[in-house]
């Protein structure tokens, strides 16, 4: 009989599963603030009606707000799970046509242990895949899947729920069908690697791109088309043991990201996971526009955050019909070859 080594105790598994469930409670999602300042996170308790987790980066994780309280404690007091970006950025993958991998495994276990001790409940690591005439390559897909699996396993051993993020970039003129096929391929590589590394799926979350046509595709598609392509890709590749899918916004406008998420939740068919948001740009562009780095604008910026959080909270329930007022709601957030 084959022998399997158990790397997590039952208590560790239970803790990871319960953090993941807390993050994907109905009508709630994640604010990915790992690119921007923590100042935008407000004190208003209403924020926690729609936001269950916030991703910080190393500096903000250890920073204090103006009132002297750490951001981490502020979030915990609001009932929000603090998260931390643990990768060290995207680097070129030699021998490929401008493809990449993500670095940061060295010392990761020690860093995760420290973040856990200081109050983090989950982590994020972003990998990037590119659609090209001959890509993504097998080399890029296998490398990125493997590094995500190693990261996930290290997080779990240290009590952090890994958010697994294999982002297929929207750069290009490919159609929706191509984006779906590539997303399916990338996700299938990812779950094969996670299984090979014995990652406890119930204690993970997936952060994929929605399936959308390339940024410069000339065909236009409806939110229903995006929903069908996205749910189909997930049904074919994401095990039912995964508790939730927290989409990145990937350069969509705030309003498109909300409408597409709502359509995804409305789409009929098998959806054994929570389907919610972990938005960076689509939760922050109105906020940052309103704030403009000025102290006197902080409260109006926080209202913008609440409005978008509420729209996305509804979208996660499939009940967002559009029209929430935001100062940058329909601005494109596309950044070519988005890397940070
Ligand atoms: P966007 O929603 O801006 O794509 O960012 C989410 C994120 O965390 C990307 O790593």
């Amino acid at each position: 009989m084959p022998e399997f080594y158990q790397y997590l105790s039952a208590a560790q598994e239970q803790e990871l599963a319960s953090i993941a469930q807390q993050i994907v409670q109905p009508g709630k999602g994640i604010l990915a603030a790992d690119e921007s300042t923590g100042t935008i996170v407000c004190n208003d308790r209403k924020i926690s009606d729609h936001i269950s987790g916030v991703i910080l980066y190393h500096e903000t994780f250890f920073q204090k707000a103006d009132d002297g309280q750490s951001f981490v404690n502020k979030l915990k007091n609001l009932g929000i799970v603090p998260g931390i970006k643990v990768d060290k950025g995207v680097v070129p993958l030699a021998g490929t046509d401008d493809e990449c991998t993500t670095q940061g495994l060295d010392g990761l276990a020690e860093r995760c242990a420290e973040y856990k001790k200081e109050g983090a409940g989950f982590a994020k690591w972003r990998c990037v895949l590119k659609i090209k005439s001959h890509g993504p390559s097998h080399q890029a897909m296998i490398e990125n899947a493997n590094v995500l699996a190693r990261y996930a396993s290290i997080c779990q051993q240290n009590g952090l729920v890994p958010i697994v993020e294999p982002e297929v970039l929207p750069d290009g003129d490919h159609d929706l069908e191509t984006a779906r096929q590539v997303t399916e391929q990338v996700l299938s590589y990812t779950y094969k690697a996670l299984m090979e590394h014995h990652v406890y799926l119930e204690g993970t979350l997936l952060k994929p791109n929605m399936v959308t046509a390339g940024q410069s595709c000339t065909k236009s598609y409806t939110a229903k088309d995006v929903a069908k392509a996205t749910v189909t890709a997930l049904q074919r590749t994401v095990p039912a043991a995964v508790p939730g899918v927290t989409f990145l916004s990937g350069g969509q406008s705030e309003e498109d990201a909300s409408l597409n998420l709502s359509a995804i939740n409305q789409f009929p068919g098998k959806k054994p996971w929570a389907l919610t948001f972990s938005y960076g740009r689509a939760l922050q562009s109105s906020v940052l526009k309103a704030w403009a780095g000025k102290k006197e604008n902080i409260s109006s910026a926080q209202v913008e955050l609440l409005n978008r959080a509420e729209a996305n909270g509804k979208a996660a329930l499939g009940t967002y019909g559009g029209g929430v007022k935001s100062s940058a709601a329909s601005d494109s957030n596309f950044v070519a070859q988005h890397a940070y």
Side-chain angles (χ1 to χ4, degrees), residues 32 34-35 55 124 126 165 167 207 247-251 278-283 333 338 340:
D34 50 318
E35 287 175 276
I55 310 174
K124 158 189 148 160
R126 174 177 184 249
E165 181 177 357
E167 175 175 4
K207 177 162 174 167
F247 293 101
L248 58 94
S249 61
S278 175
Y279 293 164
R281 286 164 282 174
L283 261 174
N333 290 311
H338 187 46
Y340 64 94

Side-chain angles (χ1 to χ4, degrees), residues 12 35 256:
Q12 284 175 306
E35 287 175 276
D256 282 352

